[in-house]
Amino acid sequence: MELLDLSPGLVVVDGTVGAGGHARAIARAIRPGGHLIGLDRDSEILACARAALAEAAEDAPEQVRVSLHHVPFSRVQDALHAEGQAACDRLLLDIGVSSLQLDSAVRGFSFMADGPLDMRMDPTGPVDAASWLAEVDEVELARVLFEYGDERYSRRIARAVVEQRKRTAIVRTGQLVDLIYRAMPGHARSGRIHPATRSFQAIRMAVNDELGELQRALEAAVSCVRPGGRICVISFHSAEDRIVKWFLREHCEVVTKKPIVASDEEVRQNPRSRSAKLRCGIVKEIAA
Ligand SMILES: C[S@@+](CC[C@H](N)C(=O)[O-])C[C@H]1O[C@@H](n2cnc3c(N)ncnc32)[C@H](O)[C@@H]1O
């Protein structure tokens, strides 16, 4: 909230409105006269955000305009256009999956509970993880597991997937967990993290084209955040953080020379914050 540097009347895009935690705090800080535009590619989550924000606005609904859109954040310009705003003053992205998505077995993000192998952040999206795994080339799968998941047994796992799918379709998270476990050498099966953690993260990032989304959103941000406005991004993966870091260096005055990370106390309270990195930049004025 400090880095966003909010004041009454600002137009703020929360590109990942999720359950509305950040959005509620933003809505309070920009009233009176502000406009909060919340985006999420998950329509189910957007319903939660709507309820949370309605509750937050109860005491003073006329003081802040809140609009929610079911669009990916790479289409931030479409949302601004639909709202009659030429640009915004602040853009916040808190990328990745939400706890609500991770904890719901039917969404297929979790290796902890058996469910359909879905992993689409937008449940209306065209390709789920099961269809992606059924089609993906072995070399490409190994690359995805290695680059997005830092999985050192990427080739063995990719081979196992290709062998398995010749026999039966891989359509449940439980099937994929077993397959990954069996593909790993014995000593790698009992590490500090669950053996399927890295592969699940990598497949989710590929199915949802997460790096492409981030890249396109930042490119769009150059023309839709006003000069002097701020961009804040929280990422959870080193490849994402690298994209953000280079983008801010090129287009912004960087406010966070080093990324802000969660304190030990915060990680104790919320273990999922352990890999979060927050960076912020002020969009450069265009030279005359
Ligand atoms: C970590 S959660 C955000 C939580 C939120 N900041 C809060 O305070 O409750 C990430 C959210 O971003 C959404 N999301 C991820 N990638 C997206 C994208 N490309 N476009 C729009 N929403 C996206 C997910 O559906 C999820 O709801």
Side-chain angles (χ1 to χ4, degrees):
M1 290 300 287
E2 224 171 83
L3 286 172
L4 278 173
D5 188 30
L6 299 171
S7 53
L10 292 185
V11 178
V12 179
V13 174
D14 181 347
T16 49
V17 73
H22 289 145
R24 280 163 65 165
I26 294 168
R28 271 187 227 113
I30 58 172
R31 62 193 196 190
H35 187 181
L36 169 70
I37 302 170
L39 320 178
D40 206 293
R41 76 203 303 205
D42 184 340
S43 49
E44 285 176 19
I45 291 245
L46 220 43
C48 301
R50 195 161 279 124
L53 285 162
E55 212 175 276
E58 245 164 33
D59 53 334
E62 70 293 348
Q63 291 195 358
V64 61
R65 208 170 135 201
V66 176
S67 326
L68 298 178
H69 290 259
H70 177 214
V71 289
F73 51 58
S74 56
R75 285 176 42 207
V76 53
Q77 271 161 324
D78 292 354
L80 283 169
H81 192 247
E83 290 302 323
Q85 298 285 4
C88 64
D89 302 294
R90 303 288 185 268
L91 171 67
L92 170 65
L93 301 176
D94 173 15
I95 52 190
V97 271
S98 79
S99 296
L100 288 174
Q101 291 164 327
L102 266 180
D103 295 338
S104 164
V106 291
R107 300 295 301 271
F109 289 108
S110 175
F111 46 77
M112 302 298 280
D114 184 40
L117 194 53
D118 189 323
M119 297 197 195
R120 284 170 301 173
M121 280 192 203
D122 178 353
T124 63
V127 181
D128 63 10
S131 341
W132 186 81
L133 271 185
E135 296 286 327
V136 67
D137 170 74
E138 183 179 333
V139 175
E140 169 64 2
L141 176 56
R143 182 193 71 80
V144 163
L145 296 174
F146 185 71
E147 283 183 18
Y148 302 169
D150 299 319
E151 176 52 71
R152 52 189 295 212
Y153 302 108
S154 54
R155 290 212 197 103
R156 294 170 73 133
I157 297 171
R159 179 102 284 264
V161 165
V162 169
E163 286 305 317
Q164 171 75 33
R165 76 185 182 196
K166 284 186 199 151
R167 297 190 292 273
T168 32
I170 308 163
V171 292
R172 309 282 303 173
T173 54
Q175 269 178 298
L176 183 59
V177 170
D178 284 351
L179 182 157
I180 294 168
Y181 186 82
R182 280 186 276 109
M184 284 189 158
H187 64 85
R189 292 177 184 164
S190 55
R192 199 171 48 85
I193 62 165
H194 189 287
T197 310
R198 294 192 174 92
S199 300
F200 267 63
Q201 169 180 286
I203 294 168
R204 188 205 85 206
M205 286 176 71
V207 166
N208 294 289
D209 185 22
E210 293 182 36
L211 295 181
E213 265 295 310
L214 176 61
Q215 193 76 55
R216 290 190 294 276
L218 292 175
E219 279 158 20
V222 179
S223 48
C224 69
V225 181
R226 285 191 186 97
R230 288 180 174 229
I231 300 175
C232 290
V233 185
I234 304 172
S235 64
F236 293 82
H237 187 275
S238 55
E240 293 167 343
D241 184 53
R242 224 172 297 130
I243 292 175
V244 177
K245 180 167 122 183
W246 286 104
F247 170 83
L248 293 182
R249 278 198 192 165
E250 194 173 335
H251 297 281
C252 296
E253 181 194 320
V254 178
V255 180
T256 46
K257 300 290 176 232
K258 286 224 161 90
I260 308 226
V261 295
S263 64
D264 293 345
E265 178 52 30
E266 184 173 359
V267 174
R268 253 193 305 280
Q269 284 175 20
N270 174 17
R272 284 173 184 161
S273 68
R274 72 183 179 276
S275 47
K277 290 201 165 78
L278 163 63
R279 293 187 188 266
C280 169
I282 302 177
V283 177
K284 284 182 189 157
E285 303 283 342
I286 298 155

